[in-house]
Amino acid sequence: MILVKLGGSVITNKETIKDEKGKKIFYRARTDRLMGELKSTNEEFILVHGAGSFGHPLSKRFELREGYVSDRQIPIVAKVQEDVRTLNLDVIQTMREKNLAAVSLPPSLLVKLDGGKSKKISMEPFRHYLELGTVPVTFGDVVPDISRRFGICSGDDLMLHLAREFKPRIAIFVTKVDGIYTKDPREKTGSPAKFITEINEKTIRLIKEPRDNVPDVTGRMKRKAKMMLTIAKEGVDCIVLNGLKRNGLGRAIKGEKVKCTIARRRK
Ligand code: ADP
Ligand code: IPE
């Protein structure tokens, strides 16, 4: 089996957030193409997707990641859950149109945090729906936290837990850059960003955090790189590739060479 995360940066617009009608942007055509590439594999898979502009801006404004501080946050917890489910429904619909039998598994019902860290994730529904021949789909969400009342579970966190549990052949992070660089490739000042082909304990130290204003509450590329290393230590090959490039995901699934950053499995 394979494990794939479609980043919020690919399926939504993390920078602009809303279109001219004030509606949040879901990149339907692009998601549709990526589903086609996923469909071309006959292997079973679990899909994770990010929250992008449907989750980050409000979560950041009301500091949901740090848990409860005021009653003002409570309607926002409900609103962000609603918004990420709206996005999830959009994703599920594009899958159905490709004849993929997608089943939504919301982390708000399956994940429990304690102090911001995952304490318990129910894996049974994932196993059940895989055995049924459907595609389990889960996503970054606002979830219960035992000590802080609520917190954020990111799609990247879910990738680690699912990799640990299901030991997929490969874990693929689909994002909007070719892979991981020493710094944000969009940053034009200073020395140019260098592409990192393989993440290991040495190369991870080269990554600098970006200096932009993108609202993101779950950490950026450096955190993703750390997650990839941990997944590799679980014995699972892990790559990050560019979902904007036609057929990059499809080729990677087939084992063909594509430009990407890899963390090779350790066991
Ligand atoms: P996603 O939502 O797809 O999971 P992120 O938004 O967290 O991913 O990361 C993708 C963005 O990170 C890209 O827009 C890219 O420009 C930016 N970025 C910042 N630092 C780096 C880096 N060191 N290497 C690659 N991309 C980076
Ligand atoms: C974030 O999920 C969840 C919320 C903010 C509610 P992710 O961290 O997986 O989302 P992306 O991929 O960065 O958009």
Side-chain angles (χ1 to χ4, degrees):
M1 71 149 327
I2 57 180
L3 183 60
V4 178
K5 182 197 170 198
L6 300 184
S9 74
V10 185
I11 60 172
T12 79
N13 189 327
K14 281 170 105 161
E15 281 95 20
T16 311
I17 304 175
K18 286 181 182 169
D19 64 13
E20 62 286 351
K21 290 191 193 117
K23 232 180 136 227
K24 292 196 187 73
I25 298 164
F26 166 61
Y27 288 124
R28 190 173 294 276
R30 186 187 290 166
T31 310
D32 191 58
R33 171 179 57 77
L34 289 166
M35 291 310 169
E37 294 179 27
L38 272 169
K39 170 85 181 171
S40 66
T41 167
N42 290 319
E43 224 170 320
E44 62 177 6
F45 67 96
I46 297 179
L47 185 77
V48 178
H49 65 79
S53 56
F54 288 64
H56 286 287
L58 268 186
S59 301
K60 182 162 187 180
R61 208 164 110 213
F62 288 84
E63 297 174 335
L64 301 191
R65 184 143 201 229
E66 286 69 41
Y68 178 86
V69 285
S70 117
D71 284 349
R72 280 175 56 243
Q73 294 169 304
I74 306 301
I76 307 302
V77 167
K79 174 69 177 140
V80 174
Q81 283 194 355
E82 179 191 335
D83 289 349
V84 293
R85 279 180 189 232
T86 303
L87 175 64
N88 178 246
L89 202 57
D90 281 335
V91 171
I92 297 263
Q93 276 164 359
T94 64
M95 295 178 81
R96 182 183 27 79
E97 284 159 11
K98 286 277 181 289
N99 291 323
L100 290 163
V103 171
S104 173
L105 298 179
S108 54
L109 306 175
L110 302 173
V111 176
K112 203 164 256 176
L113 306 178
D114 192 4
K117 300 219 162 61
S118 310
K119 171 103 179 153
K120 189 177 165 287
I121 302 187
S122 306
M123 290 296 172
E124 207 281 321
F126 289 93
R127 200 166 296 111
H128 174 83
Y129 284 107
L130 273 178
E131 278 168 16
L132 195 63
T134 58
V135 184
V137 183
T138 192
F139 48 90
D141 203 355
V142 184
V143 302
D145 187 302
I146 295 166
S147 51
R148 299 179 178 177
R149 298 208 216 170
F150 55 79
I152 303 277
C153 176
S154 76
D156 291 8
D157 295 329
L158 291 163
M159 287 292 279
L160 169 59
H161 291 283
L162 291 165
R164 192 172 274 155
E165 182 73 18
F166 292 98
K167 304 287 183 206
R169 171 173 71 81
I170 190 165
I172 305 175
F173 287 89
V174 181
T175 183
K176 70 170 208 177
V177 279
D178 286 347
I180 303 182
Y181 294 77
T182 47
K183 68 177 201 181
D184 191 340
R186 291 174 303 185
E187 245 178 76
K188 297 297 170 219
T189 52
S191 52
K194 287 197 198 79
F195 191 74
I196 301 174
T197 44
E198 187 168 339
I199 289 290
N200 53 42
E201 279 75 7
K202 244 195 206 152
T203 55
I204 200 165
R205 282 194 237 125
L206 305 173
I207 306 168
K208 289 188 199 76
E209 293 292 2
R211 283 176 298 173
D212 57 19
N213 320 312
V214 174
D216 189 317
V217 293
T218 50
R220 310 294 296 281
M221 275 297 172
K222 187 138 192 171
R223 186 150 192 276
K224 207 182 288 302
K226 282 186 194 149
M227 209 58 95
M228 290 173 72
L229 263 190
T230 317
I231 291 175
K233 285 180 188 151
E234 291 293 331
V236 175
D237 279 333
C238 186
I239 61 173
V240 44
L241 57 74
N242 195 338
L244 307 191
K245 286 193 173 162
R246 194 164 289 276
N247 219 20
L249 174 61
R251 285 175 51 216
I253 291 171
K254 291 187 189 109
E256 292 170 23
K257 213 166 172 253
V258 287
K259 186 165 184 189
C260 66
T261 298
I262 186 167
R264 288 181 207 282
R265 66 168 180 264
R266 300 297 170 86
K267 295 190 231 174

